[in-house]
């Protein structure tokens, strides 16, 4: 695979200390220091310097990063994107803290995506010599890694085409209005073997719906809830099992109002996995197979 | 213990076939035949003839039954109840299908409770000689047994006193308006070692809020949701973890509109376990530690 | 119920500090202080002062305690035991640290059982006013409570009769050599609603096979294993699901060589639950439905 | 990724009916018909015609298949392998039942690997239009898919080099005798994002240690054990958590004696995930972090 993963999400928060408490104490991420107005965090099973960046001042997405296998891939992507008509610019090493050279892509849906091949290597918390299988002492949700994100924009179909035609992504699932009109409401895209690294939904240009962290299993979702009760973390939706992606999940907010998700289960994708189609008449089950109902805030709150 | 368990719940349903499909195919109870307007069901791990009775015509509770260890206990309860001022009447064997002699108690909250010492023994589905640990093939939710119920009435405190003073129950948890006024909103009572066999809530006299079935664990709650998606079973609330009782749970409706719950986890009670007190200012967490929010139908739909 | 639970297990250990590390750091019990040669521990969900006592010097059982509902029960038990021909003696308050008056019973299988009605109340770690559902931060196995124990002796049938005829216990399961000879190999007894508070096996007089702690679920058994890997705790048997009791389990040793178990699942018992019979030809499945094989140390190591 | 997955495992079995019962009833695979001496099976979540082939007569591996993304990859692999010095031959469409054109590779460790780009598409059991998340009714272990395999040979290092240098695999973990000599005992290789698609162990040339099926979670491992108890499936090792791969697992045998595994958990790999090194002094924990002990048959039985 050429795009390896969603490498980082960079969001604004109203208060750095409040948000740090959330990402470090509630989610259990490792604090990786501050640089200017930003603080950095990583999951216990991540090897690179950070996967979450919070920046003081407001709420909402600043940018996202995806790590690419090689400079050759990066050059190929740059050419593909130019041909596709998407604006890009080269990033120098260090423009983004601890991140090497790369390519900044201005998505048709309005977000900024940074493609890069190097971030400072830190290592996970287990090491690579006769390691243990987990960290001994859970802390908060004990999040091992960032998983995926969902962003909004006016023309998700165009950004979907950009990801598949320029960046080697595949589409696992698509939600359309109905078979006749086939208008795209949302789409789930993967570059590796998970059901999605990024998803796109029709909505306000440039916005973030949520970013999601991986958890081990459904039991960890319950454990997350027990921690939320202590930390008074506002839950937006779930726990449930999604129809789309089959993932089990709970959505919640950081103190600034950015929506987080913890997510697990789902299924394994390959390049030959057929795309699943959903129509809006089954949307409640697509969103939540378990309850088959939709709450208002889930559909209307974007940051 | 003298009252052993909630032995059966008898409810009205609008259509016997629809309801049978729900209790047999969705919940996975064993169908135990029909007698007059009633059909009978039991869980795979129950030994007596039935634990659920459905009767054609309407919705809501007809009566409930609790099995008592001995005739001596029954006689003692009868005397206690007379002294307490609750109306009772003796039941002959067979008045309730497959149920032996007993005592019918008219609860201050308006429901009819049948205390009995014998029901026809059928045996569970594993047998008692070198048995397996579970049934081999799950069917629907694979419910092993009835667990508890929640009923409403104008004076839950009076019925609570009846259960503790006359029938040897203990109170595990109590929800009061506030410390100052100490008005009882709801109360959870146990006779054995589970956190509750019956709970009482202030509300419309004689009504049923829900009856609950035991499941093995939180994983079974997810599995329940997968079955609900297939059977289009309406979910009312959850999955969540209750603050009160610590149980993990999901609420749903049978086709007639009677509320069911599947419930697991919780904690072990003893005669010396102190009563927990909840005040209404923490009600959202008391109901649902995970989400800490209340839905309307959960508070207003009684049958 | 008159006997409420297995209240405490008192064992010898070769080194107090090593054993304390095991019970406090690995199992996650709360250290409750030292008194003379003994240290005391309780689970986070227990209300009384302690459930585990370790005493410096050797290995093996010193005594066990069971808490009884009332002095009336205690007096009745004393009379029953005298009639049965079992030696007892009255215990003064404080003879056992933090324990009130009671009755010391010398079991036919050689162990010493203390029956008592009071132990100093400490409270669990959640409190009883608007409490949380779990402790926020797991520590080791996060053991909530002591569950049951298995002891050996030459005539388990006699001690079984003592428990059922004198102390109101019921028998949930029995393992016999074969149907024809009906010789008792082992027996599981309950006073409340769990499948067993104590079990007896034919073997060396006065010995301990294991004492067991409750865990929440099968997931917690896996978590226990992850902690064992860090703490280098020797595992004796499992994880598996027992045929007998249906419990899921893993056995391990404390640093002195006393066998511990963590146990969950199992089923709910009532006074009318029929006794299950196992014959030795199915012993491998009775012990372990999952693997159906027996390891040597499990059958031969008693302390 | 160019190699997408382990597509099929083809083994010999002593009796087709016995083995079919195992793969269909115990594992819950879908029977896909017979062709000559072979029967075909697939998991409920697999889209291609089969992932398991059993052939009457004996025990042990006949061959394995890996599906490749494109003909271009296949041609590139062919050139790589020729340069590496591994013998290959072109396969015509249909030489392997339902499989398209491909390349047969004779591994240095003695097994036959078939690389192919097409197998007849059948579809999974959920469909791709508004699908459910799981199949409604579990059957046996309800295996969704084949996951990986472990094969033996005299020079695992050479076959490891072949996979990484010719077929774009990466190494997730390596077990060596000790740091000084650095002799390879076993190696785990991945082409996608799972911790391994294939593993190699030093041993008898051309042999099979096991092939493994994916399960959803640790709970499914327990459920597998409950089915094994009914079907009297011999368990070889586990349940446990591996140190290597972190996977949770149980090993068992098909009626012919081929070793199967059900496996879940583990971690997500990327091209930049560093290789973990294990030394033989920690082998018990590497094999089983939970028990840290090795059974004889696990090390000696190859087929």
């Amino acid at each position: 695979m050429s795009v390896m993963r969603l490498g980082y999400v960079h969001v604004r928060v109203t208060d750095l200390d409040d948000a740090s408490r959330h990402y470090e104490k509630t989610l259990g991420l490792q604090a990786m220091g501050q640089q200017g107005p930003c603080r950095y965090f990583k999951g216990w099973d991540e090897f690179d310097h950070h996967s979450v960046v919070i920046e003081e001042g407001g709420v909402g997405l600043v940018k996202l990063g995806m790590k690419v296998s090689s400079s050759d891939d990066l050059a190929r992507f740059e050419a593909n994107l130019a041909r596709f008509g998407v604006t890009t610019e080269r990033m120098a090493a260090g423009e983004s803290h601890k991140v090497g050279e790369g390519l900044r892509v201005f998505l048709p849906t309005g977000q900024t995506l940074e493609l890069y091949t190097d971030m400072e290597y830190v290592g996970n918390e287990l090491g690579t010599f006769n390691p243990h299988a987990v960290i001994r002492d859970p802390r908060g949700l004990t999040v091992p890694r960032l998983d995926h994100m969902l962003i909004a924009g006016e023309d998700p179909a165009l950004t979907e085409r950009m990801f598949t035609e320029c960046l080697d992504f595949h589409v696992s699932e698509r939600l359309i209005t109905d078979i006749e009109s086939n208008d795209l409401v949302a789409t789930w895209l993967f570059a590796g073997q998970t059901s999605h690294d990024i998803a796109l939904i029709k909505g306000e240009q440039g916005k973030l719906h949520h970013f999601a962290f991986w958890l081990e299993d459904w039991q960890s979702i319950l454990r997350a809830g027990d921690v939320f009760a202590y930390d008074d973390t506002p839950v937006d939706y779930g726990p449930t099992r999604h129809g789309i992606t089959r993932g089990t999940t709970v959505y919640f907010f950081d103190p600034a109002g950015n929506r987080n998700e913890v997510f697990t289960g789902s299924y394994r994708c390959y390049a030959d996995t057929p795309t699943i189609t959903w129509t809006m008449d089954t949307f409640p089950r697509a969103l939540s197979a378990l309850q088959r109902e939709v709450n208002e805030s889930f559909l209307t709150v974007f940051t």
Side-chain angles (χ1 to χ4, degrees), chain A:
Chain A
M1 69 217 85
S2 30
V3 170
M4 291 193 290
R5 63 177 165 274
L6 176 63
Y8 55 84
V9 173
H10 180 153
V11 290
R12 292 190 180 282
V13 298
T14 39
D15 184 278
L16 272 184
D17 289 339
D18 283 353
S20 294
R21 232 181 333 266
H22 174 78
Y23 289 104
E24 186 178 357
K25 303 301 182 193
T26 301
L27 271 66
L29 298 176
Q30 192 179 357
M32 298 299 294
Q34 179 156 356
Q35 169 81 358
C38 295
R39 289 189 190 160
Y40 299 83
F41 300 89
K42 67 180 281 296
W44 68 262
D45 199 24
E46 292 174 320
F47 293 88
D48 284 347
H49 181 269
H50 61 263
S51 57
V52 172
V53 187
I54 58 174
E55 179 172 340
E56 181 122 19
V59 61
L61 186 68
V62 177
K63 59 189 181 184
L64 61 138
M66 288 182 172
K67 193 170 186 185
V68 173
S69 290
S70 70
S71 305
D72 287 357
D73 286 318
L74 212 56
R76 183 166 55 87
F77 291 163
E78 188 172 21
N80 290 345
L81 290 161
R83 211 174 306 121
F84 192 85
V86 166
T87 307
T88 65
E89 62 184 30
R90 277 277 163 180
M91 290 161 54
E95 270 184 51
S96 284
H97 183 56
K98 304 287 185 184
V99 177
E101 289 187 347
L103 185 71
R104 197 166 287 123
V105 184
F106 301 99
L107 301 183
T109 36
Q111 296 82 2
T112 300
L113 162 66
E114 295 180 348
L115 301 172
Y116 62 97
T117 55
D118 286 294
M119 184 189 283
E120 185 178 301
Y121 177 89
V122 173
N124 75 357
E125 295 187 36
L126 303 175
T128 58
F129 184 65
N130 294 332
H132 279 284
V134 296
I135 56 173
R136 187 186 185 284
D137 296 308
R139 47 174 202 253
L141 276 57
T142 317
V143 162
R145 63 174 67 255
L146 182 64
D147 188 75
H148 70 262
M149 69 190 305
L150 169 58
I151 56 177
E154 287 161 16
D155 192 350
L158 184 59
T159 299
E160 178 194 58
R161 274 188 50 217
M162 190 214 82
F163 273 107
T164 56
E165 296 182 13
C166 304
L167 304 180
D168 298 352
F169 277 71
H170 300 270
V171 180
S172 58
E173 312 209 14
R174 296 184 102 232
L175 175 65
I176 58 175
T177 50
D178 55 87
I179 290 290
E180 293 68 35
S181 67
N182 196 24
D183 286 340
L184 185 67
V185 178
T187 176
W188 285 257
L189 296 127
F190 65 99
Q193 288 187 332
T194 63
S195 65
H196 59 313
D197 298 288
I198 192 160
L200 312 166
I201 189 165
K202 194 173 177 62
E204 196 182 341
Q205 189 70 355
K207 291 292 188 179
L208 169 69
H209 185 273
H210 72 268
F211 56 108
F213 298 91
W214 184 252
L215 286 186
E216 178 73 9
D217 51 28
W218 175 242
Q219 200 72 23
S220 306
I221 302 280
L222 177 61
R223 160 89 187 136
D226 291 334
V227 173
F228 293 160
Y230 270 97
D231 296 359
D232 209 21
T233 308
V235 167
D236 184 39
Y237 194 70
T240 191
R241 184 200 286 277
H242 288 305
I244 293 172
T245 77
R246 304 183 199 164
T248 54
T249 174
V250 63
Y251 291 91
F252 51 102
F253 292 108
D254 77 8
N258 295 295
R259 190 187 281 102
N260 294 170
E261 182 188 15
V262 282
F263 179 85
T264 189
S266 198
Y267 56 90
R268 200 181 297 168
C269 281
Y270 302 98
D272 67 343
T273 302
T275 300
I276 289 168
T277 302
W278 293 85
T279 48
M280 279 302 286
D281 54 311
T282 54
F283 180 63
R285 181 161 65 78
L287 175 60
S288 166
L290 202 157
Q291 294 100 343
R292 284 146 288 130
E293 62 182 16
V294 181
N295 75 346
E296 192 57 23
S297 80
F298 191 78
L299 294 185
T300 54
V301 176
F302 291 81
T303 60

